[in-house]
Amino acid sequence: MSRRGLAAVASVLDQAASSATNILVLVLAARLSSASAFADFSMVYVAFSVLLGLNMAYIGQSLVLEKGEGLAAACRSAAGFTGAASAAAGLLLAAVGLALPGAIGRAFLSLGLVLPLVLLQDGLRYCFSALRAPERALAADALRLVCVVAALALQPEGASAERLVLAWGLSALPALGLGLWLLRPYVRDCRTDLRPYLRRGHLGQRFVVEFAVGNGSSQLAVLGLGVFATPLAVGALRGATTLFGPLNVLFNSANAFGPPVLGRLGGKRATVRATAALGLVLAAVGAGWATALYLLPERLGRELLGDTWASASALLPATGAQYAVMALGTCALLTLRVLAPKATLSLQVVFSLLSVGLLLSGYAVWGVAGAAWGLAAGSALKALAAWWRVARLDPAAPQPEEPRRAASTAA
């Protein structure tokens, strides 16, 4: 196999290791804790997911577009900024945790203490991606997976959310140490410069907007349910979506490796034909996975999610429908990213905010099940609008390589 092929395999495996870590963290936490403790842990993990996404958007996505002689210096600066920004965010979270009462306050305080470790460890993945060394990212993330599973498996049954957060966060230390050691040969002769990340017009600012309206808004809406409604709603929604983690791996892989493949197909017709077929296949896989989970015996379900299984399993039809239409929407947005990259931001803004509105109104009318069906309806409308936008593209649209270059500079 060629070096390029090995790099692609390593990238897919690294994505799988990272996704498996997130899935197993939630599965093990659900099995170890009561439904109320898992609800507290889920609220903390949703907050972490938002911060992780912001870090990826502001630093990671802009870093992987870097090239040339300054690449190593950019990686060192990205790691330095991630450490500084995550420390500042950790202090803020710790202050929030001290202000909140009870177990949820202690859990947020714990997240603030470990946030710099987990964010910096994850951020190194983008340094290795930019340096075309995905095998080093795979080594660090595989160690992270092993350590976090071992750390959580050693926790007693009935462990508090605070204890689980600390075990999860501190288990990142070995992988962080390995990642920094693997990065050192590339960056030891470079100087750290944080100023580009503080300047107006930094490329990551646009990516943050896309994340905020695309993923962050729904995550914050779910977190809001826990603050203003009940943390049990967050636990049920997080438990249901955790079971669909393997589909997230497929979606992320399609976004990561789809553009280069589509770039070799030609114009609009060939690209749309390929992405439509991929969307149908992924939607069928999502529907099949949802059916298998729905038919899972309760005994096996409790082995996966513990006490949270009862509330999460009731949401499987809605969450399964959401992931099936998300497959279609993901492939439509992938088509636009290749053929018309400037068309995605407006779609993300309008329909992500609509999804939040449907989630909250669904919860107000039908409770947690209504919130889940609201998310599914929002995903369906986004997919429909994205494919309608694809259909309106000029048949003589530029070759995929041209708009992709424009995306690198104007995205």
Side-chain angles (χ1 to χ4, degrees):
M1 184 181 293
S2 66
R3 178 173 175 78
R4 182 175 296 180
L6 290 172
V9 170
S11 296
V12 173
L13 291 176
D14 179 55
Q15 178 62 53
S18 178
S19 298
T21 299
N22 293 329
I23 295 167
L24 290 174
V25 164
L26 290 165
V27 168
L28 289 171
R31 291 183 62 182
L32 288 168
S33 54
S34 65
S36 59
F38 181 69
D40 292 337
F41 182 86
S42 295
M43 287 189 65
V44 170
Y45 209 77
V46 168
F48 163 71
S49 298
V50 172
L51 293 171
L52 181 67
L54 290 173
N55 182 68
M56 173 203 65
Y58 194 80
I59 302 173
Q61 288 190 7
S62 60
L63 178 62
V64 296
L65 297 177
E66 295 281 351
K67 59 183 65 176
E69 296 181 357
L71 179 57
C75 290
R76 183 177 182 123
S77 299
F81 186 81
T82 299
S86 59
L91 287 174
L92 180 60
L93 278 174
V96 170
L98 290 173
L100 291 174
I104 188 64
R106 293 191 297 272
F108 271 101
L109 174 60
S110 300
L111 176 61
L113 295 177
V114 301
L115 186 68
L117 302 179
V118 290
L119 279 188
L120 182 55
Q121 190 277 320
D122 186 85
L124 294 179
R125 297 170 56 214
Y126 301 98
C127 294
F128 292 124
S129 177
L131 293 167
R132 307 295 189 267
E135 69 282 354
R136 299 192 175 214
L138 175 59
D141 286 335
L143 179 60
R144 169 66 169 141
L145 174 59
V146 171
C147 290
V148 74
V149 169
L152 291 177
L154 290 174
Q155 303 308 306
E157 189 170 348
S160 65
E162 170 191 5
R163 178 167 181 157
L164 292 174
V165 170
L166 285 174
W168 158 74
L170 293 175
S171 67
L173 271 171
L176 175 58
L178 176 61
L180 291 173
W181 180 72
L182 292 173
L183 182 65
R184 186 173 181 274
Y186 293 96
V187 303
R188 59 187 166 194
D189 296 325
C190 302
R191 188 173 65 89
T192 302
D193 184 7
L194 307 185
R195 290 173 298 176
Y197 291 98
L198 302 175
R199 290 175 186 151
R200 184 178 180 182
H202 172 60
L203 188 59
Q205 294 168 8
R206 181 181 178 92
F207 293 139
V208 162
V209 173
E210 287 216 25
F211 168 79
V213 299
N215 183 274
S217 56
S218 60
Q219 295 275 22
L220 289 173
V222 171
L223 190 61
L225 289 181
V227 174
F228 300 108
T230 169
L232 293 175
V234 181
L237 288 168
R238 177 58 68 179
T241 55
T242 297
L243 298 172
F244 288 85
L247 293 180
N248 288 328
V249 176
L250 295 178
F251 295 166
N252 291 336
S253 296
N255 281 320
F257 301 103
V261 175
L262 295 172
R264 295 193 292 267
L265 295 181
K268 175 191 172 185
R269 179 172 298 180
T271 301
V272 171
R273 187 182 298 119
T275 53
L278 178 61
L280 291 173
V281 169
L282 291 178
V285 171
W289 185 253
T291 301
L293 290 173
Y294 188 73
L295 297 176
L296 200 68
E298 184 176 353
R299 177 179 59 83
L300 294 178
R302 288 188 174 275
E303 286 291 321
L304 286 173
L305 293 181
D307 292 342
T308 304
W309 171 257
S311 56
S313 61
L315 306 182
L316 287 176
T319 307
Q322 179 192 359
Y323 271 82
V325 295
M326 275 175 61
L328 297 172
T330 296
C331 290
L333 291 171
L334 175 61
T335 309
L336 292 173
R337 180 69 75 180
V338 171
L339 295 176
K342 293 184 179 180
T344 59
L345 181 58
S346 59
L347 283 170
Q348 292 279 32
V349 170
V350 173
F351 288 93
S352 295
L353 294 177
L354 177 62
S355 292
V356 171
L358 291 171
L359 179 151
L360 297 176
S361 58
Y363 181 81
V365 178
W366 294 295
V368 181
W373 280 111
L375 285 174
S379 296
L381 291 172
K382 183 188 288 188
L384 184 64
W387 279 112
W388 179 73
R389 182 67 181 84
V390 169
R392 292 184 60 206
L393 289 176
D394 185 353
Q399 296 295 317
E401 290 85 355
E402 295 178 16
R404 196 164 69 245
R405 284 196 299 269
S408 297
T409 57

